Amino acid sequence: MIKLVVGLGNPGKEYERTRHNAGFWLVERFAQANGMVLRKDPKFKALVGKSANGAWFLLPQSFMNLSGQPVQMLAGFFKIKPEEVLVVHDELDFPPGTVRLKQGGGIAGHNGLKDISQRLATHEYWRLRLGVGKPPPGTEGADYVLQKPSVDDRAAIDAAIQKSLDVMPQLLAGDVQAAMNRLHTEEPKKVEPAKKTEEPKKEIPAEKPGLLRSLFGKK
């Protein structure tokens, strides 16, 4: 059973829309959809919430490379084992729209995971990996994750987040295998680029439709 869900990201307005904050996006979406309040807790150096079934949700406010301290402190305080922890993070190895679940394994240079593994003294916590795509040639991964995704990439990441939220009840209930099967067997939805609308003809008065914008929110 998952008793602690950790979303990784960096605090602050300047980072909230960057790829590195994909973990934050998921936890924030879960909180909004479930009426869960994320409150700042100075003791844990994090925003903390508790779901209806008793699982803790954590957004470290100590910056990415120090993410492990809030995780260690809350997990230690509530006696939560590493195998009961789920860390949600951005993943360079997968394209936007792909999401994968696994326990343990390599951390591929992700500084948030590196600090968590050091603090918990193990890699054996669960990880929900949200694809953000590989950096283009000539761009360092560390710089790429601190940039905002394109509109189409953000839409694909949001679709993967929704897919993850759909299996969250199974994860929290301890049916991790069923959640994994759903995540790994369903193909990521293709997100069509937005089509341009034609200008209304001048001789026919018409109301222009309102433009809807989704506003969401460095290493």
Side-chain angles (χ1 to χ4, degrees), residues 1 14 17 52 61 68 86 88 99 108 125 141 143 146 180 186:
M1 181 180 291
E14 64 269 42
R17 298 184 195 174
Q61 299 295 290
L86 173 67
V88 187
V99 56
Y125 48 88
D143 296 325
L146 293 178
M180 186 181 293
E186 294 176 11

Side-chain angles (χ1 to χ4, degrees), residues 141-153:
D143 296 325
Y144 178 74
V145 295
L146 293 178
Q147 297 169 2
K148 298 175 185 177
S150 67
V151 172
D152 290 343
D153 282 358

Side-chain angles (χ1 to χ4, degrees), residues 195-209:
K195 295 180 180 178
K196 292 183 179 180
T197 55
E198 294 182 2
E199 289 290 328
K201 295 180 180 179
K202 298 296 182 183
E203 66 272 22
I204 302 176
E207 258 184 65
K208 293 185 179 181

Side-chain angles (χ1 to χ4, degrees), residues 12 32 56 65 70 74 83 93 118 140 157 171 178 204 218:
Q32 185 178 34
W56 291 97
N65 62 340
L74 189 141
E83 59 269 25
D93 287 339
Q118 288 177 344
E140 293 291 331
I157 295 168
L171 286 171
I204 302 176
K218 283 180 175 180

Side-chain angles (χ1 to χ4, degrees), residues 38-50:
L38 294 166
R39 292 187 174 88
K40 189 170 185 179
D41 190 325
K43 178 169 74 265
F44 297 125
K45 299 181 181 179
L47 296 178
V48 180
K50 194 175 186 180

Side-chain angles (χ1 to χ4, degrees), residues 13-64:
K13 289 285 185 184
E14 64 269 42
Y15 305 124
E16 63 186 12
R17 298 184 195 174
T18 64
R19 295 179 180 90
H20 225 15
N21 274 39
F24 271 22
W25 300 344
L26 185 145
V27 171
E28 288 164 352
R29 284 262 296 273
F30 179 90
Q32 185 178 34
N34 291 276
M36 183 180 74
V37 179
L38 294 166
R39 292 187 174 88
K40 189 170 185 179
D41 190 325
K43 178 169 74 265
F44 297 125
K45 299 181 181 179
L47 296 178
V48 180
K50 194 175 186 180
S51 68
N53 77 330
W56 291 97
F57 284 73
L58 180 79
L59 295 181
Q61 299 295 290
S62 50
F63 287 97
M64 185 65 79

Side-chain angles (χ1 to χ4, degrees), residues 163-178:
K163 189 175 176 181
S164 304
L165 294 177
D166 290 342
V167 303
M168 191 60 70
Q170 291 171 305
L171 286 171
L172 298 182
D175 198 352
V176 178
Q177 191 59 52

